[in-house]
Structures are given as structure tokens and as C-alpha cells.
Amino acid sequence: MADKLMTLSPDRLIAKVLGYNPQAEVSLIREAYEFAAAAHEGQIRQSGDPFLWHPLEVAEILADLKLDVPSIAAGLLHDTVEDTRHTTEEIGRRFGENIAGVVEGVTKIGKIEFKTHEEKQAENFRKMILSMAEDIRVILIKLADRLHNMRTLEHLPEPKQKRIAQETLDIYAPLANRLGIGWVKFELEDLCLRYLKPDIYMNITKKIAKRGEEREKYINDVISIVKKNLLEYGFNGEVVGRNKHAYSIYQKMERQGISFEEVYDLTAIRIITDTKMSCYAILGMIHSLWRPVPGRFKDYIGVPKPNLYQSLHTTVSGPDGEHVEFQIRTQEMHKIAKEGIAAHWKYKEKGQIDEKDNKIFGWLRQLMEWQKEMADNRQFMDSIKMDLYQDVVYIFTPKGDVKELIKDSTPVDFAYSIHTEVGNRCVGAKVNGKIVPLKYQLSSGDVVEIITSPTHVPSRDWLKFVKTAKAKARIKHWIKIEETKRSLDIGRKALEREIRRHNLSTTETFKSEKLLAVAREMGFGNIEDLLADIGYGKVSPLHIINHLLPEESLKEGLKEKVVKKIGIKPEGVKVNGLNDILIHLSKCCNPVPGDKIIGFITRGRGLSIHTVDCPNIDELDYDKERLVDVGWDVKGAGTHPVKISVLTVDKPGLLANVSASITSAEANISHAEIKTTEEKKAVLNFVVEITNTKHLEKVLKNIEKVEGVLRAQRIRGG
């Protein structure tokens, strides 16, 4: 550590900044460095390094993005308010309100304490979105901070490594992609794979290195042919080859169910030229040299990605019939592909985004709208994660207006993108002049006409196929209003029946101050909220009567008693705040101890227990009042059935080897099913009795060690 203290210096950072901004006010960077060094003096990271290494590395990442001097200074100072005795006011006096505002924005994210990690993660992300709209530099510093933390994640305990890596994969990598910073996205994804699936990561990286040596001559030969033809046709162009990153290869293996050896396009060849016209001309040249692979051409110049990425992508059947991917772009396009938002965005006063930028980053404006509309943090973050991940399609209205939707969107999503009332009243749709089902998946270029009816209302079934967060939120909002009306009516009638059984006047009881007092005593704001909970089955009408009448006035045999549960409570489930209710584990997700779970109050079937990531929760969470906190009782014992699907190469003896790997993990197989595919693969489906998620993880790891196994995963369903 003493050696690192000796070599800590801002000189390399300053040289990097001067490399792209020779007029940079480096004295401000040096002053910020000295302030941070004094503030963090004596502080040590878990790696054993001086804490100052972290802000210095964050600032260097910001310099790699070619940010301005105030951003670099804020990167150096970003932890001084949160982790030292210094204040934002002090930063403002010393470095100006501009830098202080950015430091404060970074500090605010993550300052509030929450009941659960999920709640904290969701609220922090909501604040991040708000800060992005106020000053985009806040999120760029946060991304740099996360990237350096991921680079040094090895020094943390394994559970924390996996939690941080999963959060990074869910939120930060897609966010880097949306901001157009490709190299940050790729590095974050590879680091996440390294900690979430270390065996797979090591296997892929070793094979990439080995295959890279074998393919180097082939790629160099292809590059030589391309350079020769560029010269012959008089095109300007720089030609380079690059290996695809490990995570994208892993995704392809998962998506297509193939082994590493079946992934052919491990290397892409990039051609950087001078003009847009040259890009298309060079594309024609490439297609004249080798036959293009059908369905593998993408024109991101004519239709840029939402993050402003532009390039032509094509895959051809190159020499010896091997697939080769080409990316063709201009220098300016290449700059934007590397630096994203930082390549073209000019900082305004306080880093605000003006109207022009808002048009460019329409998705950011949409995030702002959602965060205002969605009170529940977890629902907000789930919606964001869904939309950050997706590719987009461009759909036309009959008048020629373009709507950007996420991939696999439906006419219902399109209807809600126009207006909530259009969505609510949607009864049908025409795509390119033909009537299609409402769950039809739209493609770029489709012209969509929505058919509406003033008497039509949304269907709960729509939640099973709509894709956009806006459509889901609007449908759930409508269902919640209708469910509340229905529950209010059911609750009123139930209480009226109980009131009449005690020979009381329903009119006088509902008008009495005593009923309102009982409602408030039980934590309700008004009588309507109390009636709605009676309708949901969360409050007993007799319980209200017990509070309204003195004990001696109650009819014999009608005093509220503890009622025995119907059926058997699932072993190991604890319910918070509810007694005497039938409980069952949902078959749609088969929760097991170790899964994060939530309860949903159903009508007539008691409390249904789901995993928090169960697909059906998306359809159930339209009414938060019916969601109940539940947990696992660690004292609970027993086993639970879990479905496992294993994809393997089709060869003799594999079933026996996989079965042996399951039993060696001390798990019992209660059902097995084997299918073979035309691609010489086998799908082995098992129902395995396991005790908890750690036991399940052990089983899956054992299976993945078997030679010939391509993938082993848990699957949901009854």
C-alpha cells in the first residue's frame, strides 16, 4: 500500500484530459485532486488500497468519455460529501455551484435508508432518473463509479458480489447502452458474467482466446481482400477486426441453444469511412465479394437506434463459407458509438437538457413521465428494466406519424402510445390494411390503424401480451379502479348483512360518527377504505360489529373467535399481519425456501404465495392493497418440487450422467421427460425435490459440470 500512496498522482489524468482538450483548466483538476486527497486521507478500501484510488479511477473513466473539466473535478470529489466531514456548501464555496450541484446530485442517490434492499434499489434508481433530467453528468459519474466498483468487485464477499453484479446487469449496463456508451456496456456485462456465472465466463474467455489464435490468419486474409478492393474502387476506409465480448457470445448460446463451437461469428470487421454515401457504396462492394446471409442486414444509418448509434451491419458467407460480420460507419458515427451522449451533447447551465436534447432522448422524457405516475418504486423499476432492455420497432400511424415501441409490441401497446382513451376503447386493429388479433406482434414499418368503441373497456387478459410499461400501467390503473368499486360494493353489502343480524339500522350505522372512529382506529382514512378491505376479505364484518357494540349486546354465538385454518399451511411460510386465512403455494412459479416471495389475497381461495419475479405478479399487482408481505420460516423443513430443464448434445449415456449428477447433489428425481430436436440436441426435463434455493443452485452446478450439457436452468409453471 505504501507504494501506491507514493504513486498517487493526477498527472496521468491531466495528460489524458489535455489530449482531447488542450485548453483545459487543469489547475481546477489539480485543486480538486488535492482536496479529495486531504478529505480521504487515512481511508482504506476493502481491497487494502488507499480510498483516493477510487475517485481518481472514476475521473479517468470520465476522461475516457472526453468530458469537460467540471465533470472531471466532480468525479474526483464525488465521495467527499458522503464519506467525509465536508459539506456541499463547502464544495460550492471552493469550486463553484456548478460542480457542487453535480456532487450533490451523486450524493443524494443512495442516502435514504429503506426497509429492504429491493425498495432501496428501486428508490435510488428513481432518484437517478430525476437527477438525469436535471444534470446528465450525475448519471455519467454514477456509471463511472459503478464501472470502477465492478472492476474491483473481487475484494467483496461472494453474496455481495452476486447482488451488485445482478443490479449492474439489470440497470447500469442497459442504461449505458441507452446513453450510447457501448464500451462501458460491454465491459459491465462481461464483469457481471464473471461474477454471476464464473465457470461459464472462464470457459468462454479461454475458448475465445484459443479460437482467436486459430482465426487470426483467416480474419487477416479477409481484411487484406477488403483493403485491396477499397483501394481499387477508390474508397477511403480504415479496416479493423475485433473480437465479440464474452457476454454477447453467452447470450447467443443461451438464445439459440447452441454450444460455443457452433458460434461462428466471433469476430466482427469494422470499416470506418468518410461519408454516409461511402458507407452504402462499401456495403455494395462487400456484397459483391461475398454472398450476404439472409436476415442479417441492419441499416442503423437510415433508422438510428434510440441512443443515436448509426452503422450498417451485414453478415456474409466469406471465404471457405464461414460467416463474417461487417460494421460500416463514418468517423462521426464511430465517435458517437464509442462516447454516446458525451460525443454530441454540449453542457448547458447546470448541465440541463434543452428541448432539442429532449427530442433526441425521448426515452428519458418518457422515464420522467412514468416516475411521476407510478407511486410504487418496485413497479416503476420493473417497468424501466423492461424498457431499457428491449430493442425498438418503428410503427406508422395512417397519417404517416412514427411511434417508437419496444420489440414485440402489439396493437394495444400502439393504441396506448397514442392516448390512454384510445387504448381503453380499443376493440381491434388493422396492420397494413388487414385485420389482426390484438396480440399480434408488430414489426418496423407496419402501418397500424386502431379501431375503437365508446362502450369498450380494457381486459385483464391484455396484461398477458402487452409489452410497454405505459400500456401495462394504464391497464392496471383501470382494473384497480374497477376492482376497488367492486370491493367497495361487496364490503358494503357484507357489513349491511352483519348490521341487520344484530337488529341495527344500516342507515344510522353508516351515518354514525362511531363507525368512522372505528375505521380510523383501525388505520383507515375513511369508511370507504374500510369497506373496500372488507370486500377484499382482509377485514371481517363481525370484527367491526365487535367494535361498534358492547360485548353484552352481541348475539350468542356471534362473538368473533379465532377460526381454524382451512387446509394445511405450507410448511415454512410466515404471513405478516393476517391470521386465519387459507394459504397455498402458487403452481405458476413453484416458490421454494430462499426465493423472495409475496402473497396475493384472492377471492375465495385465500392467500396465494408467488415469487416476486413471477410473471403473473405483473398481472396481479394492479392493486397493491391485495399484496401481503410474507416470508419463509427458517425452522420449516421438508422438500419442494422444482422443474429443471437441461439442454444437452444428443449422445448415448447423457441421461444417466445427468441423473447421477442430480442424485449426487442429494436431490430426488420425481419425474423425468426426454425430447430430442432436429439440431441433434436433447432437452431433459426433470421435477426434482429440493429443500431451498441453495440446494437448487448446487443441483444446477452439478448438472453443468457434466460433459455435453449446454445449459441447465430452473423453469416455472404448474
Side-chain angles (χ1 to χ4, degrees):
M1 190 181 83
D3 291 341
K4 287 191 175 179
L5 281 170
M6 292 287 289
T7 56
L8 278 172
S9 162
D11 292 344
R12 188 174 70 174
L13 170 64
I14 288 170
K16 191 176 284 189
V17 174
L18 288 173
Y20 64 85
N21 182 9
Q23 284 77 45
E25 191 183 345
V26 294
S27 60
L28 184 62
I29 296 176
R30 200 173 291 278
E31 186 180 356
Y33 171 80
E34 288 168 359
F35 185 93
H40 295 297
E41 187 177 6
Q43 293 182 348
I44 303 296
R45 299 196 89 206
Q46 286 189 290
S47 61
D49 294 333
F51 191 92
L52 186 59
W53 272 109
H54 175 63
L56 188 58
E57 289 290 323
V58 167
E60 289 214 24
I61 292 169
L62 297 173
D64 289 334
L65 291 170
K66 297 182 171 57
L67 297 192
D68 61 1
V69 168
S71 303
I72 304 295
L76 287 166
L77 299 168
H78 80 274
D79 275 330
T80 53
V81 173
E82 186 172 359
D83 293 329
T84 76
R85 56 185 172 77
H86 295 288
T87 63
T88 306
E89 290 73 22
E90 189 178 349
I91 301 287
R93 287 193 298 270
R94 183 83 174 265
F95 298 97
E97 293 303 316
N98 188 0
I99 292 174
V102 178
V103 173
E104 183 181 27
V106 177
T107 304
K108 279 181 179 177
I109 300 170
K111 211 172 180 183
I112 296 178
E113 292 296 322
F114 296 92
K115 290 182 289 185
T116 66
H117 170 69
E118 288 76 15
E119 186 181 355
K120 180 174 182 177
Q121 184 193 50
E123 176 61 17
N124 284 352
F125 189 65
R126 182 187 288 267
K127 288 195 284 184
M128 224 165 27
I129 296 302
L130 283 168
S131 67
M132 279 172 69
E134 293 171 4
D135 193 326
I136 202 74
R137 290 171 292 184
V138 171
I139 193 60
L140 293 175
I141 292 172
K142 195 67 186 173
L143 273 175
D145 174 64
R146 177 54 61 107
L147 178 56
H148 184 248
N149 283 334
M150 285 299 299
R151 286 173 177 175
T152 56
L153 200 60
E154 65 202 60
H155 303 290
L156 297 181
E158 187 179 345
K160 201 167 185 179
Q161 287 177 352
K162 289 188 179 298
R163 179 176 63 76
I164 293 172
Q166 190 61 56
E167 180 183 82
T168 302
L169 193 61
D170 287 346
I171 297 298
Y172 289 93
L175 202 49
N177 180 51
R178 272 295 199 174
L179 292 169
I181 314 169
W183 68 270
V184 172
K185 169 187 179 280
F186 296 147
E187 186 174 348
L188 285 175
E189 287 177 339
D190 278 3
L191 287 166
C192 291
L193 184 63
R194 174 183 169 186
Y195 290 103
L196 291 172
K197 296 184 180 290
D199 294 343
I200 292 174
Y201 173 79
M202 292 302 295
N203 188 32
I204 290 175
T205 50
K206 282 178 183 175
K207 287 182 176 179
I208 288 174
K210 185 178 178 183
R211 178 87 76 88
E213 293 171 7
E214 296 169 356
R215 282 182 62 84
E216 188 173 358
K217 183 181 182 306
Y218 179 86
I219 292 299
N220 286 338
D221 288 346
V222 173
I223 289 174
S224 296
I225 295 170
V226 172
K227 284 181 175 179
K228 179 185 173 184
N229 278 269
L230 287 175
L231 193 62
E232 187 178 320
Y233 285 99
F235 295 127
N236 291 321
E238 176 190 352
V239 189
V240 292
R242 65 167 190 89
N243 286 330
K244 292 193 173 180
H245 66 300
Y247 185 76
S248 68
I249 293 169
Y250 164 72
Q251 278 187 309
K252 188 165 190 175
M253 290 164 60
E254 285 283 289
R255 189 169 56 245
Q256 298 182 11
I258 58 177
S259 65
F260 180 88
E261 287 68 29
E262 294 170 285
V263 180
Y264 295 111
D265 49 350
L266 292 177
T267 309
I269 295 175
R270 185 174 292 150
I271 303 173
I272 302 170
T273 186
D274 49 1
T275 67
K276 189 186 293 187
M277 290 299 292
S278 294
C279 291
Y280 288 101
I282 292 170
L283 174 72
M285 183 196 82
I286 297 296
H287 284 179
S288 71
L289 290 171
W290 300 290
R291 182 175 56 82
V293 177
R296 296 293 299 274
F297 169 65
K298 300 283 186 184
D299 184 353
Y300 294 120
I301 294 179
V303 184
K305 288 187 177 183
N307 60 14
L308 302 186
Y309 175 89
Q310 287 184 287
S311 192
L312 297 176
H313 289 196
T314 187
T315 300
V316 300
S317 183
D320 303 324
E322 290 197 35
H323 285 189
V324 182
E325 182 185 321
F326 284 90
Q327 298 172 356
I328 309 166
R329 62 181 69 149
T330 65
Q331 285 285 359
E332 182 62 25
M333 293 171 190
H334 185 56
K335 184 181 179 187
I336 290 174
K338 285 201 304 182
E339 300 165 21
I341 187 174
H344 63 86
W345 186 71
K346 303 299 181 187
Y347 295 118
K348 320 299 188 299
E349 185 181 351
K350 294 186 178 180
Q352 292 175 346
I353 300 173
D354 65 16
E355 188 58 33
K356 181 182 176 184
D357 293 319
N358 253 326
K359 287 176 183 175
I360 294 171
F361 292 97
W363 61 274
L364 177 55
R365 189 174 66 251
Q366 195 171 54
L367 295 190
M368 290 299 300
E369 290 173 3
W370 291 339
Q371 80 83 23
K372 290 175 186 174
E373 294 171 2
M374 296 183 184
D376 182 78
N377 287 324
R378 188 180 294 171
Q379 183 187 356
F380 171 68
M381 194 171 76
D382 287 346
S383 299
I384 297 307
K385 281 160 70 172
M386 180 181 68
D387 274 58
L388 279 178
Y389 271 120
Q390 304 297 329
D391 290 331
V392 297
V393 291
Y394 299 93
I395 310 302
F396 292 88
T397 69
K399 292 182 178 179
D401 295 329
V402 180
K403 293 287 181 181
E404 180 188 294
L405 299 173
I406 61 176
K407 188 181 177 185
D408 297 333
S409 288
T410 66
V412 176
D413 294 292
F414 180 78
Y416 278 106
S417 76
I418 296 170
H419 193 276
T420 299
E421 278 304 299
V422 176
N424 286 346
R425 306 301 175 199
C426 173
V427 291
K430 288 183 180 179
V431 174
N432 304 324
K434 295 180 180 178
I435 295 285
V436 297
L438 288 179
K439 60 183 178 182
Y440 177 86
Q441 292 184 345
L442 301 173
S443 302
S444 280
D446 283 344
V447 178
V448 181
E449 179 186 348
I450 299 299
I451 303 166
T452 61
S453 166
T455 59
H456 197 263
V457 296
S459 165
R460 186 182 282 106
D461 288 340
W462 289 359
L463 290 172
K464 295 176 181 176
F465 58 76
V466 293
K467 299 297 179 184
T468 60
K470 182 174 183 178
K472 286 178 183 288
R474 294 292 187 270
I475 296 164
K476 289 174 184 175
H477 179 69
W478 188 89
I479 292 173
K480 181 178 179 180
I481 291 172
E482 292 304 304
E483 287 283 339
T484 302
K485 287 180 187 174
R486 197 178 308 160
S487 295
L488 189 62
D489 184 53
I490 293 170
R492 183 182 294 277
K493 288 176 180 176
L495 185 56
E496 284 175 350
R497 282 196 300 271
E498 203 61 50
I499 289 169
R500 285 194 292 270
R501 289 178 68 190
H502 288 81
N503 298 320
L504 296 174
S505 165
T506 55
T507 305
E508 290 179 10
T509 302
F510 276 100
K511 287 183 178 178
S512 71
E513 288 294 321
K514 196 169 182 182
L515 181 59
L516 180 60
V518 169
R520 287 176 175 165
E521 183 185 328
M522 295 177 69
F524 297 99
N526 51 52
I527 292 172
E528 283 71 24
D529 290 345
L530 171 64
L531 294 175
D533 263 30
I534 293 173
Y536 286 139
K538 294 175 73 172
V539 176
S540 162
L542 185 54
H543 185 65
I544 307 304
I545 299 298
N546 281 338
H547 280 74
L548 287 173
L549 293 177
E551 190 172 341
E552 59 271 14
S553 302
L554 293 172
K555 287 186 176 182
E556 188 67 30
L558 289 177
K559 292 180 183 178
E560 188 167 24
K561 299 175 183 178
V562 176
V563 181
K564 289 184 179 179
K565 293 180 180 62
I566 305 167
I568 300 171
K569 178 180 176 182
E571 193 119 15
V573 176
K574 294 188 295 187
V575 185
N576 301 326
L578 284 180
N579 291 314
D580 309 318
I581 186 168
L582 173 67
I583 301 173
H584 65 275
L585 296 177
S586 171
K587 290 185 178 179
C588 58
C589 53
N590 292 326
V592 298
D595 284 333
K596 292 173 183 175
I597 53 175
I598 195 162
F600 183 79
I601 297 172
T602 63
R603 289 202 176 87
R605 294 185 296 113
L607 193 66
S608 177
I609 308 298
H610 297 260
T611 60
V612 294
D613 58 354
C614 173
N616 286 337
I617 282 293
D618 208 33
E619 299 172 38
L620 301 175
D621 73 353
Y622 57 83
D623 195 341
K624 299 296 177 185
E625 297 300 316
R626 295 169 72 179
L627 293 175
V628 178
D629 285 337
V630 294
W632 295 105
D633 185 351
V634 292
K635 297 176 184 176
T639 60
H640 301 259
V642 171
K643 279 191 172 183
I644 291 173
S645 182
V646 183
L647 181 67
T648 73
V649 295
D650 187 12
K651 67 177 186 180
L654 256 178
L655 175 61
N657 293 341
V658 171
S659 300
S661 72
I662 294 172
T663 53
S664 69
E666 300 174 347
N668 182 51
I669 301 171
S670 58
H671 181 76
E673 183 180 286
I674 306 108
K675 297 176 184 174
T676 57
T677 69
E678 292 179 0
E679 294 82 21
K680 295 185 179 178
K681 303 287 190 307
V683 179
L684 316 178
N685 291 325
F686 299 94
V687 177
V688 180
E689 298 292 328
I690 59 103
T691 53
N692 52 40
T693 50
K694 285 186 178 178
H695 188 195
L696 174 61
E697 191 175 334
K698 181 181 176 183
V699 171
L700 292 174
K701 281 186 176 178
N702 264 26
I703 296 171
E704 286 178 343
K705 289 176 184 175
V706 176
E707 187 178 350
V709 168
L710 302 174
R711 183 180 68 230
Q713 62 185 20
R714 176 183 180 180
I715 56 175
R716 310 286 186 179

